[in-house]
Amino acid sequence: QLQLVESGGGLVQGGNSLRLSCAASGRDFGSYAMAWFRRAPGKERELVAVINWDGGTMHYAGSVKGRFTIARDYARNTVDLQMDSLKPEDTAVYYCAAVQGWSLTATSYDFWGQGTQVTVAS
């Protein structure tokens, strides 16, 4: 069982950066793949980035590749999403999620945070 709490959202001007953090509590954080999803108004939830259990494999959505970086810290039990060169189309609620194994599909994820709003002004 994991509890996930996101932080770091807010309002930012286009072209600027923002860093989201997800704090995990519970057992076996190191055994889960950790992901960030987002849901924009009127759109389906989409995968943004995912990192595997040992931090050696990452996957990014094409729309964020080269701008966003996912990383995990085992000492702090956190997974961060560094978002650079933000665009208005990045505006969404961002969710942290965990799954045992590996998946690019939201329905496979077992644990979810409550979400944090990111708004990018043009």
Side-chain angles (χ1 to χ4, degrees):
Q1 192 84 348
L2 282 184
Q3 293 79 45
L4 305 175
V5 178
E6 301 96 336
S7 61
L11 172 64
V12 64
Q13 284 293 119
N16 286 350
S17 299
L18 206 58
R19 187 177 188 90
L20 304 182
S21 188
C22 172
S25 59
R27 297 183 62 180
D28 301 324
F29 169 74
S31 68
Y32 290 87
M34 301 297 298
W36 287 93
F37 289 82
R38 68 185 181 187
R39 177 174 278 157
K43 294 188 177 181
E44 296 290 319
R45 180 173 49 187
E46 64 170 344
L47 176 69
V48 176
V50 56
I51 187 167
N52 77 327
W53 69 275
D54 69 359
T57 301
M58 286 80 79
H59 172 86
Y60 295 92
S63 59
V64 308
K65 194 173 292 184
R67 299 189 298 121
F68 290 12
T69 304
I70 190 170
R72 62 191 302 167
D73 185 325
Y74 296 92
R76 294 167 52 228
N77 274 15
T78 58
V79 57
D80 293 345
L81 185 69
Q82 177 67 38
M83 304 185 294
D84 298 322
S85 303
L86 282 161
K87 304 175 181 180
E89 50 263 45
D90 294 318
T91 295
V93 178
Y94 283 71
Y95 299 89
C96 176
V99 66
Q100 289 193 315
W102 176 264
S103 178
L104 304 182
T105 306
T107 53
S108 298
Y109 282 72
D110 303 302
F111 305 105
W112 292 83
Q114 81 289 350
T116 185
Q117 176 71 46
V118 172
T119 303
V120 184
S122 56

